[in-house]
Amino acid sequence: MPSLKERIIQILIEDNLISQAGLAQALLIQKEKGGSLSEILVRAKLIDEDKLLIAMSKVFSKPSIDISRFKIDLQILRLIPAHTCRQYQIMPISKFANTLTLAMADPLNILALDDVKTLTGYQINPIIADSRRILQAIEHYYGQSAKSEIEDLIQGISADTIELIQEKEEAEFSLDELGRLSQEAPIVSFINKTIEQAVQLRVSDILIEPQDKRLCIRFRIDGMLRLQPDNPRTMSPLVISRIKVISGLDIAEHRLPQDGRFKMKFAEREVDFRVSVLPTSFGEKVAIRILDKTRITLDIDKLGFEGRALEDLKKCVFRPYGMILACGPTGAGKTTTLYSLLKLVDKPRINIITVEDPVEFQIPGVNQVNIQPEIGLTFASSLRSILRQDPNVIMVGEIRDAETADIAIKAALTGHMVLSTVHTTSASGAVVRLVNMGIEPFLINSALSCIVAQRLVRVLCPHCKERYELKAEIVERLKLPPQKKAPYTFFRVKGCGRCFTTGYSGRVVAAEVLVISPKIRELILHRAQEHTIKHTARLEGMITLREDGIIKAKNGITSLEEVVRVTAADE
């Protein structure tokens, strides 16, 4: 009996929906890159989506529909959670008696059919729909459903509570009033629903910002902020007080900044949340950093470092002593890179100690210190104590001042491998920064092994990215070498349900790694300027941030627009 793939190919050929040459091209792409044959056919524009759907209908002996033409009742959506729909690429369409009609990309997925039947208690009538349109429908309808639920929760706040809020300013509430109001069921559900939605959307930060007439909530997804539906200004004191309660903060304090953290469980995994509260003119602003360990890859081979840069990093971190610096703006992934290097060298015979502000992730086998400046436990004082703990590898969260820099440099000179971060935009700028802190050039020369400057660029969604040819004027503007045989081809964003119509999904590192060679050491000794060090490093083979980004764009990992956006200040 022919396999499913063979039956699909047979129908496509018999119905003249694709040529033998086109099929061979699609099969070659599938062999090289993997993936679904049907998705490859559509993405390569070898077949129209609707025609492919008809062919799939024949193969599966199931009816097919265009899900975008259906209007689905929100009550039907409550039968199946959004994460289940995304997992199996399914969408509930309608219900009649004890039968639920289910749109499926793969109607022969027995596991999906069994799970939905168990979950809902209904008999399942599967029909075929295009996977991309199913995912678009999931984001459209479940987004509406979530908004509707949140609106219901807001309306569920008692009239007495609303009247009390309108009568008083936040600072006028008594401790008892704030505690009682923050425990009301609608407020608790509102916060839980917002956080759950953020975790599902792979959000890294939630910003809750009281404005003059509204409560603004923004999600940071893949480094970009996205505004969520507005909420009434009267919600502000309740929402902020509830977050303070679960974070262990003082709900009666409105004048000073506060920091806290809490944990929540989602689908059998625990997610950490770091909370910062800041007083503003319209009330207290809350920033929640989401630390989901399941989404963090602590593998240096998978972060985006390539070729010589990756080899240089590995070579330097396995040296018995020296210093590796990671630099870049806040949110550039510096700590993740250092954690990945620690994981690479972590062995039972290696004593690793870190000092951080704060400790973001607990790494098994690594001793991690959380600094507390209010009691005198600073980076510098921690480092002095750490050196008496016989460490092989030390990670300092950030070099902020001359004292910390001096101790870290001397630790690297006395037989320790030291990893740290500095806030500069380029690798060569980190050298100048250390000199400006008052560190003697000969000490920098002896201690430094390499410097990595990095940014995070968004990854193009593999399901909807489009190939295009680059115009000659853009080639010239980007200073790319002209190609005689064929024009440059890159990929650009399109947007689909799987990437929430953004065209991007996830981020990778674009980096430049500056190895401290004999020529670079000579320049440091003579206090050379940043551009001179960078020029020499490029002559020795260093690839800059912009160049690394363009390589990734050529390989279809990201777009040129994203590379230019992220590296604009470095050129």
Side-chain angles (χ1 to χ4, degrees):
M1 185 176 177
S3 66
L4 179 62
K5 180 177 175 181
E6 290 170 341
R7 285 156 57 199
I8 293 173
I9 292 172
Q10 184 180 350
I11 292 289
L12 293 175
I13 296 297
E14 286 178 356
D15 291 359
N16 294 319
L17 296 176
I18 189 171
S19 65
Q20 289 284 0
L23 178 62
Q25 180 186 341
L27 291 171
L28 181 62
I29 294 172
Q30 187 184 41
K31 184 179 179 181
E32 291 176 351
K33 299 184 178 180
S36 164
L37 178 62
S38 58
E39 288 184 359
I40 292 170
L41 290 169
V42 173
R43 200 159 56 237
K45 297 184 178 179
L46 295 169
I47 190 171
D48 182 72
E49 285 183 28
D50 294 329
K51 290 180 180 178
L52 178 63
L53 205 59
I54 293 169
M56 298 285 281
S57 178
K58 285 185 179 181
V59 170
F60 291 116
S61 299
K62 300 285 183 183
S64 63
I65 63 162
D66 180 355
I67 198 172
S68 63
R69 297 182 181 179
F70 275 72
K71 186 173 182 180
I72 303 171
D73 188 346
L74 294 182
Q75 293 294 329
I76 300 293
L77 301 177
R78 292 175 181 169
L79 296 172
I80 307 175
H83 66 85
T84 303
C85 290
R86 290 190 186 96
Q87 179 184 354
Y88 294 124
Q89 294 185 31
I90 58 176
M91 188 73 182
I93 299 296
S94 61
K95 178 174 69 71
F96 181 74
N98 68 334
T99 300
L100 178 67
T101 300
L102 196 66
M104 306 181 69
D106 178 6
L108 296 184
N109 188 334
I110 303 300
L111 183 61
L113 292 170
D114 286 347
D115 278 3
V116 173
K117 185 177 179 180
T118 303
L119 183 68
T120 63
Y122 290 98
Q123 296 297 317
I124 306 301
N125 174 35
I127 56 178
I128 297 175
D130 176 64
S131 62
R132 187 167 64 175
R133 288 177 183 168
I134 287 176
L135 290 167
Q136 287 172 341
I138 290 170
E139 302 314 320
H140 173 70
Y141 282 103
Y142 279 95
Q144 275 191 357
S145 177
K147 182 180 177 183
S148 176
E149 283 184 48
I150 287 175
E151 287 173 351
D152 290 343
L153 292 172
I154 293 170
Q155 291 173 4
I157 299 171
S158 68
D160 292 341
T161 300
I162 295 296
E163 185 179 350
L164 181 62
I165 294 169
Q166 290 171 341
E167 286 176 357
K168 296 186 177 185
E169 294 294 328
E170 185 177 358
E172 295 176 353
F173 282 102
S174 70
L175 187 61
D176 290 340
E177 285 174 332
L178 281 173
R180 177 178 61 80
L181 295 175
S182 66
Q183 299 294 338
E184 279 203 357
I187 289 299
V188 173
S189 299
F190 174 82
I191 295 298
N192 291 347
K193 191 70 185 176
T194 300
I195 291 173
E196 181 184 353
Q197 187 182 9
V199 172
Q200 287 177 351
L201 293 174
R202 311 184 314 273
V203 171
S204 61
D205 299 271
I206 304 172
L207 302 183
I208 301 174
E209 303 163 316
Q211 302 294 327
D212 187 16
K213 296 181 180 179
R214 63 193 177 111
L215 177 64
C216 174
I217 297 180
R218 293 189 288 172
F219 289 170
R220 189 180 295 279
I221 303 174
D222 292 334
M224 305 296 285
L225 284 171
R226 290 175 59 184
L227 185 65
Q228 301 305 296
D230 284 347
N231 300 286
R233 174 70 176 84
T234 51
M235 291 277 292
S236 178
L238 304 185
V239 169
I240 291 163
S241 294
R242 177 60 191 168
I243 292 171
K244 284 183 177 181
V245 167
I246 61 178
S247 306
L249 302 179
D250 184 356
I251 61 173
E253 178 58 72
H254 310 293
R255 301 164 301 168
L256 298 173
Q258 296 187 70
D259 295 305
R261 61 195 314 159
F262 63 94
K263 294 181 179 182
M264 293 181 76
K265 218 168 187 182
F266 297 93
E268 299 183 355
R269 76 181 193 273
E270 201 170 52
V271 179
D272 290 334
F273 299 86
R274 202 169 71 213
V275 177
S276 173
V277 180
L278 179 71
T280 68
S281 56
F282 290 114
E284 290 174 290
K285 173 184 175 180
V286 176
I288 304 175
R289 169 66 59 88
I290 300 177
L291 303 171
D292 187 351
K293 297 177 185 178
T294 61
R295 293 197 293 109
I296 300 295
T297 303
L298 298 183
D299 185 341
I300 198 68
D301 293 313
K302 296 179 181 178
L303 295 183
F305 294 97
E306 298 178 31
R308 178 174 169 179
L310 183 59
E311 290 176 14
D312 288 340
L313 264 180
K314 287 182 175 180
K315 193 183 297 181
C316 290
V317 80
F318 279 113
R319 290 176 182 172
Y321 60 89
M323 176 182 275
I324 296 175
L325 290 178
C327 56
T330 302
K334 302 185 294 296
T335 303
T336 302
T337 296
L338 295 187
Y339 276 168
S340 300
L341 291 173
L342 289 181
K343 191 175 178 183
L344 184 67
V345 299
D346 186 21
K347 298 286 186 300
R349 59 185 175 81
I350 301 292
N351 180 15
I352 302 175
I353 304 179
T354 76
V355 51
E356 306 170 59
D357 180 25
V359 172
E360 292 197 7
F361 289 107
Q362 295 290 341
I363 307 175
V366 175
N367 306 284
Q368 295 172 271
V369 178
N370 197 354
I371 73 162
Q372 300 180 62
E374 63 275 9
I375 61 170
L377 187 62
T378 62
F379 280 119
S381 62
S382 299
L383 263 177
R384 290 192 190 94
S385 298
I386 284 171
L387 291 173
R388 293 192 287 272
Q389 294 286 324
D390 188 33
N392 300 104
V393 180
I394 303 170
M395 185 187 113
V396 183
E398 183 184 346
I399 293 179
R400 297 176 179 173
D401 51 57
E403 186 181 13
T404 305
D406 183 59
I407 299 170
I409 289 278
K410 287 175 180 174
L413 291 172
T414 54
H416 305 88
M417 172 53 66
V418 179
L419 286 72
S420 190
T421 70
V422 288
H423 277 290
T424 60
T425 58
S426 66
S428 52
V431 176
V432 178
R433 172 78 174 135
L434 290 175
V435 172
N436 290 339
M437 280 184 177
I439 307 300
E440 291 294 335
F442 70 88
L443 292 176
I444 298 173
N445 262 348
S446 303
L448 264 184
S449 297
C450 76
I451 307 169
V452 52
Q454 65 180 71
R455 305 288 186 275
L456 292 178
V457 295
R458 291 180 292 171
V459 176
L460 283 168
C461 174
H463 305 287
C464 64
K465 63 183 180 181
E466 290 183 328
R467 187 187 293 272
Y468 71 102
E469 293 182 358
L470 201 62
K471 294 180 180 179
E473 56 265 29
I474 299 178
V475 172
E476 186 177 346
R477 195 184 309 164
L478 292 174
K479 300 176 183 177
L480 299 175
Q483 292 193 151
K484 295 180 180 179
K485 293 184 179 180
Y488 279 100
T489 57
F490 287 87
F491 290 84
R492 60 187 169 202
V493 299
K494 182 180 180 184
C496 66
R498 299 193 190 190
C499 61
F500 312 111
T501 69
T502 63
Y504 296 99
S505 180
R507 292 188 290 176
V508 296
V509 167
E512 60 184 33
V513 176
L514 170 61
V515 177
I516 310 301
S517 66
K519 286 186 178 179
I520 299 295
R521 293 185 196 282
E522 189 177 341
L523 290 173
I524 294 172
L525 198 60
H526 290 88
R527 300 177 183 265
Q529 294 184 351
E530 180 180 336
H531 66 85
T532 306
I533 296 173
K534 183 176 182 178
H535 177 70
T536 304
R538 291 192 68 184
L539 292 177
E540 292 183 342
M542 183 186 81
I543 295 175
T544 66
L545 279 165
R546 171 67 64 86
E547 290 166 346
D548 187 45
I550 290 174
I551 291 170
K552 287 178 168 60
K554 281 182 182 177
N555 293 333
I557 297 172
T558 188
S559 66
L560 271 178
E561 291 80 6
E562 177 70 0
V563 172
V564 171
R565 180 186 71 82
V566 169
T567 64
D570 305 298
E571 293 299 313

